[in-house]
Amino acid sequence: MTKIAIIGSGFIGRAWAITFARAGFDVALADKAEGAPEAALAYIEGVLPDLAANDLLNGATPEAVRARLSAAQSYAEALEGAVHAQENAPEDLALKQALYAELDALAAPETVLASSTSAILPSRFSESLKHRERVCVCHPINPPYLIPAVEVVPAPWTAPETMTRAADLMRAAGQSPIVMKRELDGFVMNRMQGALLEEAFRLVADGYASVEDVDIGIREGLALRWSFMGPFETIDLNAPGGVADYVARYQQIYERISPDQWRRVDWAGPVLETVLAERRARLAHDALQERQVWRDRRLMALAAHKRKADKDIGA
């Protein structure tokens, strides 16, 4: 059976472990922190029944998925026989450079080394490696077992075969890869999310809308379409003649407001006090964890609905 190595078994690593094990892969978790893989496995055991209840284990039982997971005593043990290693270390360049030097020496030359980094370009931690052509980024939105999009990003020297193998593996694991043609700071998803957050902070800082009203605009407005189609398909369907018709009708609106959107608001400045006050009025700080559990269960229900809908329409 195909083996996956999870390097770093914290918040992101344990989520990847569920993703790969659910898809039928053998998964070995390794971490330099003593007891971390075992803690991750205990967490996973608590999540699997909820996923089963929402029919999100591909027909397998929690026990069958759990049986595909194991704790490795070292990186070498986890990497032995692995076709793919998913690294989940903290967002620290020096740490990743040292870690990839170690992984490059330990892993078989054909093993793909993929990082979950959301902020570091793959060229920055792979340049000096002997087998740098097998390194790429596979950046998820957490948790990947509920949100399938994953960015597959090459360094300038990443081999096309590496990109193909990484993207194919992600598809086999039930993910939807965004295969980038070259690396770019922020990749795709953070750049789009960042543009939205910049405007959200501006609207609140300049006194045009409350935090909750901005959230309503997304939650009860744009996100309803975005939950099953992207911005280009949205505009293609939002004008009688398709995307060219939309551009002809509406580009001048965005052209007019665009200069106002070049000005940044410091997220950590005075606006933060407003955002914090309004958010804590709606959700106490000590209720954050409970609300996170609620969010994940809502995501499970949405993922289950989308899977069923896709099957029903033959997508």
Side-chain angles (χ1 to χ4, degrees):
M1 187 178 290
T2 302
K3 180 182 177 183
I4 308 295
I6 299 294
I7 306 299
S9 52
F11 195 57
I12 306 299
R14 68 195 188 191
W16 270 124
I18 294 171
T19 304
F20 289 122
R22 175 179 64 185
F25 299 113
D26 278 340
V27 181
L29 295 90
D31 202 297
K32 287 292 177 70
E34 186 175 352
E38 290 78 10
L41 292 174
Y43 172 85
I44 290 168
E45 288 172 1
V47 172
L48 292 178
D50 271 350
L51 292 174
N54 285 278
D55 193 24
L56 293 174
L57 292 182
N58 296 335
T61 64
E63 294 76 18
V65 175
R66 173 62 180 85
R68 299 168 188 154
L69 296 155
S70 63
Q73 299 306 304
S74 66
Y75 291 160
E77 181 183 333
L79 289 165
E80 185 177 357
V83 300
H84 180 99
Q86 189 69 36
E87 169 269 313
N88 312 283
E91 297 284 307
D92 181 300
L93 178 58
L95 187 155
K96 286 193 187 291
Q97 288 171 332
L99 176 57
Y100 272 84
E102 183 178 0
L103 297 179
D104 194 42
L106 289 171
E110 64 273 13
T111 303
V112 172
L113 301 181
S115 177
S116 296
T117 182
S118 59
I120 304 176
L121 297 176
S123 61
R124 300 196 67 193
F125 55 81
S126 66
E127 183 174 10
S128 63
L129 301 180
K130 180 179 180 181
H131 298 291
R132 65 183 188 175
E133 72 284 348
R134 46 88 170 263
V135 176
C136 65
V137 163
C138 288
H139 168 236
I141 294 182
N142 202 52
Y145 56 82
L146 296 179
I147 304 177
V150 54
E151 296 169 312
V152 183
V153 187
W157 40 79
T158 302
E161 180 189 4
T162 297
M163 293 293 288
T164 298
R165 290 179 59 201
D168 286 349
L169 181 77
M170 291 299 147
R171 294 186 188 99
Q175 304 306 103
S176 299
I178 301 165
V179 184
M180 293 188 66
K181 297 177 180 179
R182 58 184 187 272
E183 65 178 16
L184 175 69
D185 193 17
F187 310 145
V188 170
M189 289 188 287
N190 274 331
R191 293 180 77 91
M192 292 193 294
Q193 178 172 249
L196 181 63
L197 285 172
E198 288 284 343
E199 186 59 36
F201 273 96
R202 267 192 300 271
L203 288 168
V204 173
D206 294 347
Y208 291 109
S210 70
V211 170
E212 177 60 11
D213 285 330
V214 171
D215 277 358
I216 288 172
I218 301 302
R219 184 179 71 234
E220 308 297 342
L222 296 175
L224 296 180
R225 289 185 300 223
W226 289 350
S227 67
F228 57 89
M229 60 183 178
F232 285 115
E233 185 173 8
T234 295
I235 66 172
D236 200 24
L237 301 181
N238 270 15
V243 65
D245 188 17
Y246 186 95
V247 170
R249 289 169 181 260
Y250 302 117
Q251 179 180 219
Q252 72 274 12
I253 298 174
Y254 299 100
E255 185 178 14
R256 186 175 69 247
I257 67 176
S258 180
D260 294 339
Q261 297 176 308
W262 297 346
R263 176 181 57 85
R264 284 208 75 245
V265 167
D266 181 5
W267 298 6
V271 68
L272 182 56
E273 295 180 14
T274 302
V275 173
L276 277 173
E278 293 190 31
R279 282 303 304 151
R280 293 293 73 82
R282 295 188 64 84
L283 182 70
H285 187 272
D286 58 9
L288 282 170
Q289 188 171 358
E290 180 182 353
R291 189 67 169 177
Q292 288 164 354
V293 172
W294 168 87
R295 175 203 61 197
D296 287 353
R297 287 180 173 157
R298 295 284 288 177
L299 281 171
M300 289 181 196
L302 178 59
H305 168 74
K306 291 184 70 174
R307 283 192 175 199
K308 183 179 185 303
D310 286 346
K311 289 179 182 177
D312 288 347
I313 64 175

